[in-house]
Amino acid sequence: MRINQTHFILYVSNQTQSKDFYTALLGYEPLFSVPGMTEFWLTSNTKLGLMPNDGIAKIITPALPHPQQANGTPRCELYWYVDDVEQAFNHALTCGATLVSAISERNWGDLAGYVADADGHVIAFAQKL
């Protein structure tokens, strides 16, 4: 198997609120945004999608629980290597992210700080030490 592009999709309670947060966080507008999906390019072959809980529930239930049952519970982690951890971390807090873990040297060789978005999705900003 060869993967040509990666598309991460976060299930969100409020698509507009999440779109506004990630627009502010990333510093640019989404690739597109329609009722049911918002997408941002992260890199040349990586996208971040935002899909309302009720939208994905139509596909995954009843085989899996409705995503709304897990709101506030961490369901994923976006681990982003950035040029300036302190700037990115503080910017995220300014955009409304919740502090999860302050910037510190991690035992795996990274300097990293953790925040969460309104749905509890964890975002880490990191640099190699």
Side-chain angles (χ1 to χ4, degrees), residues 10-14 51-75 119 121:
L10 303 179
Y11 307 146
V12 299
S13 296
N14 183 316
M51 180 181 281
N53 289 329
D54 288 337
I56 191 60
K58 292 175 187 175
I59 297 169
I60 65 172
T61 59
L64 297 172
H66 192 293
Q68 192 70 35
Q69 294 176 343
N71 270 5
T73 302
R75 296 182 279 180
D119 290 289
H121 301 115

Side-chain angles (χ1 to χ4, degrees), residues 7-84:
H7 191 168
F8 297 98
I9 300 173
L10 303 179
Y11 307 146
V12 299
S13 296
N14 183 316
Q15 183 181 351
T16 300
Q17 177 186 18
S18 294
K19 177 186 79 101
D20 292 347
F21 171 76
Y22 282 96
T23 297
L25 179 66
L26 296 170
Y28 53 86
E29 294 295 320
L31 169 67
F32 79 90
S33 187
V34 297
M37 179 60 78
T38 297
E39 291 183 351
F40 294 89
W41 279 109
L42 297 180
T43 69
S44 62
N45 64 349
T46 307
K47 289 183 194 176
L48 174 65
L50 307 171
M51 180 181 281
N53 289 329
D54 288 337
I56 191 60
K58 292 175 187 175
I59 297 169
I60 65 172
T61 59
L64 297 172
H66 192 293
Q68 192 70 35
Q69 294 176 343
N71 270 5
T73 302
R75 296 182 279 180
C76 79
E77 178 180 323
L78 301 172
Y79 197 91
W80 293 339
Y81 285 97
V82 296
D83 293 330
D84 185 336

Side-chain angles (χ1 to χ4, degrees), residues 82-94 102-104 111-113 115 125-127:
V82 296
D83 293 330
D84 185 336
V85 170
E86 189 169 326
Q87 185 278 331
F89 182 82
N90 289 329
H91 176 65
L93 294 173
T94 300
I103 298 170
S104 67
L111 178 68
V115 299
F125 300 100
Q127 286 177 291

